[in-house]
Amino acid sequence: LTSTMNEANFELAQGLVSRRYVKPASDARKRRDGLVTTLLSQRRMPREGWDDTSIRMLLADLAAMDSNNFLDNVGVGEREGRVFNSLVRERHFGMTHGVGRSGDLTAEQPKAAGSSLLSKITHLMALHALKISGLESASSCVILPLATGMSIAVTLLALKSTRPLATKVPLFQPNLGAHPQHLSTPP
């Protein structure tokens, strides 16, 4: 899914396929473009959820803004996004640059305008979600990508900080009751 069907290309398509068939497709594309315009201008979660095709089209457009996806570009820098396996590339929509720069996880990536834009939009939508959830005083937030292993490690470290003398953390224990003892403490 790409944004190759702009207004000029829809007009050219009418030379190949009847206008009465191309026009509804053009209108549908304009409606999807309107979703993106609203998202970028309002900078918050949309009132209505998007369909999968609209989400995929936005992600494809944003990925195309990253230099590793430019036509005829060969990234050779140490931080250039490169992926050998096409399944991995597809899973991540071609966004391979990562986040942040020089220790600032919210900084823009100079060669990854699309990934940087997605990061900013995500932060704004998460902040909006916090506010409509009742945390109206929230003024900023950040969303960070974590792999499963890192997520588990961070969670376990947070649990450890609540009970520094604990030696064990059960990950699953059925029938714990109303007030379970989650962490075992030494005698």
Side-chain angles (χ1 to χ4, degrees), residues 5-161:
M5 289 308 292
N6 56 31
E7 194 61 37
N9 287 339
F10 276 115
E11 286 182 30
L12 290 170
Q14 291 178 27
L16 301 167
V17 176
S18 172
R19 180 187 188 313
R20 69 178 183 210
Y21 301 135
V22 173
K23 176 82 167 88
S26 175
D27 292 344
R29 179 57 201 225
K30 286 178 187 173
R31 185 162 174 232
R32 284 198 163 98
D33 289 346
L35 293 174
V36 176
T37 300
T38 300
L39 178 65
L40 294 175
S41 64
Q42 292 184 355
R43 300 175 178 198
R44 57 191 202 145
M45 290 189 334
R47 283 189 176 278
E48 306 265 334
W50 289 16
D51 66 293
D52 290 351
T53 300
S54 296
I55 293 168
R56 289 178 190 281
M57 290 175 78
L58 173 63
L59 291 173
D61 286 348
L62 293 175
M65 294 171 63
D66 289 358
S67 65
N68 60 292
N69 296 315
F70 292 174
L71 289 176
D72 302 323
N73 184 49
V74 178
V76 294
E78 69 177 84
R79 295 182 184 150
E80 300 266 353
R82 291 180 292 279
V83 178
F84 175 74
N85 187 297
S86 63
L87 291 174
V88 174
R89 172 178 283 286
E90 289 170 17
R91 179 178 179 173
H92 300 286
F93 295 90
M95 295 184 182
T96 61
H97 274 276
V99 297
R101 179 179 176 154
S102 303
D104 180 355
L105 290 173
T106 61
E108 298 173 358
Q109 283 277 350
K111 294 183 178 181
S115 293
S116 296
L117 182 56
L118 179 60
S119 179
K120 299 279 183 182
I121 291 169
T122 303
H123 297 162
L124 291 167
M125 288 195 306
L127 180 60
H128 182 232
L130 290 173
K131 289 184 177 196
I132 61 176
S133 300
L135 295 171
E136 296 168 8
S137 63
S139 60
S140 67
C141 72
V142 64
I143 304 295
L144 302 174
L146 285 179
T148 305
M150 181 62 81
S151 298
I152 291 171
V154 169
T155 301
L156 292 175
L157 287 171
L159 286 173
K160 182 180 179 183
S161 72

